[in-house]
Amino acid sequence: GKCGSCGPGYASPLEAMKGPREQLLYLPCIYRNTGTSRPDFLATVDVDPKSTHYSKVIHRLPMPNVGDELHHSGWNICSSCHGDPTKSRDFLILPGLISSRIHIVDVRTDPRAPRLHKVVEPEELFQKAKAAFPHTCHCLGSGEILISCLGDPQGNGKGVYGRHLNVWDWDERRLLQQLDLGLGSVPLEIRFLHQPQAAQGFVGCALSGHIQRFYKNQVNSKDLGKKIWVFYVEFWRF
């Protein structure tokens, strides 16, 4: 959603709960390892209880190629840009894990029947980012899109998860710090607190089954001549 004087999404989860109910869902559907040689597709599901098509797939958008393995989708713009009225949520980003293609889907023109807007071919990802196997999309408050990748064009690191959280300076594209979560941790998904000003979050560790909390403390750095943020990690077991 979008209000007239703000940006897309909502200012907080509480505000989102007060908003109108979603009427459509978009689901990436894949044929990987099924023996079916057909393109993956994006399914549109009607979730309006008043609709005669409630809980049914009302549209399928096939991708142009076979074997993409569509993965974690993301919006071009999300609630992180809520304060910017010039931005709107118009496109869904669908990375192909195996093909290294990135599909841009137009969901604004006809939300009930999305259409393919553009495909970023793997060669462009290889040349410009020296990366491959795109996995997860995140929209940022700047309006940019961050896509994590599992390897390089030569296949190094494909499918290999590590044991560190990497802290980056987004403006300078520079690695600031690595947090070692321990042998066999395999940190997979990060979630920050819903409060936008809270500098902390949680990461689920797929192999160990642990959830770890990370946060940052402010310290003085004589080397940098300014204050920097240093991340610490707490261990949680459930």
Side-chain angles (χ1 to χ4, degrees):
K2 180 179 179 179
C3 66
S5 60
C6 56
Y10 298 92
S12 70
L14 182 60
E15 290 301 313
M17 293 171 63
K18 300 175 183 177
R21 178 187 177 124
E22 295 286 354
Q23 296 184 344
L24 296 172
L25 295 180
Y26 301 117
L27 302 176
C29 301
I30 65 174
Y31 286 108
R32 182 75 176 174
N33 297 326
T34 64
T36 301
S37 182
R38 297 175 61 184
D40 299 339
F41 64 93
L42 180 69
T44 304
V45 181
D46 188 330
V47 291
D48 181 0
K50 299 178 181 179
S51 172
T52 57
H53 302 291
Y54 177 58
S55 75
K56 294 181 180 179
V57 174
I58 59 174
H59 184 266
R60 294 188 180 196
L61 174 65
M63 298 298 106
N65 301 279
V66 175
D68 287 309
E69 188 168 333
L70 300 180
H71 232 264
H72 294 3
S73 61
W75 296 110
N76 68 309
I77 296 294
C78 61
S79 292
S80 61
C81 297
H82 182 69
D84 188 346
T86 67
K87 294 181 171 58
S88 60
R89 191 178 70 176
D90 299 327
F91 299 98
L92 192 64
I93 314 302
L94 295 174
L97 179 64
I98 300 302
S99 68
S100 292
R101 294 186 183 93
I102 300 174
H103 307 83
I104 315 298
V105 176
D106 175 4
V107 295
R108 175 64 65 181
T109 303
D110 186 353
R112 299 179 67 85
R115 62 188 66 177
L116 190 63
H117 174 73
K118 180 180 180 180
V119 177
V120 179
E121 294 295 340
E123 291 76 17
E124 188 169 355
L125 181 62
F126 298 164
Q127 294 171 6
K128 294 183 178 180
K130 302 297 187 292
F133 311 105
H135 183 269
T136 305
C137 298
H138 295 280
C139 50
L140 306 176
S142 62
E144 297 171 292
I145 301 168
L146 176 66
I147 302 179
S148 61
C149 296
L150 298 189
D152 62 20
Q154 290 71 44
N156 298 314
K158 177 185 176 183
V160 178
Y161 290 94
R163 54 187 285 183
H164 296 87
L165 289 183
N166 298 308
V167 183
W168 286 80
D169 183 315
W170 182 245
D171 293 328
E172 297 183 7
R173 306 296 199 268
R174 182 169 59 92
L175 181 64
L176 297 179
Q177 187 179 357
Q178 287 186 305
L179 304 177
D180 192 341
L181 304 188
L183 183 65
S185 55
V186 190
L188 185 60
E189 297 285 355
I190 289 178
R191 292 293 181 269
F192 286 90
L193 299 192
H194 291 315
Q195 168 53 254
Q197 301 303 319
Q200 58 177 301
F202 297 88
V203 58
C205 298
L207 188 60
S208 66
H210 300 154
I211 295 178
Q212 299 205 39
R213 170 179 173 256
F214 58 91
Y215 59 97
K216 59 184 179 180
N217 284 349
Q218 197 173 37
V219 298
N220 290 318
S221 172
K222 295 181 180 179
D223 295 333
L224 296 180
K226 61 180 180 179
K227 291 183 177 180
I228 62 173
W229 292 101
V230 179
F231 281 71
Y232 293 89
V233 173
E234 286 183 355
F235 171 78
W236 293 43
R237 182 188 292 273
F238 293 86

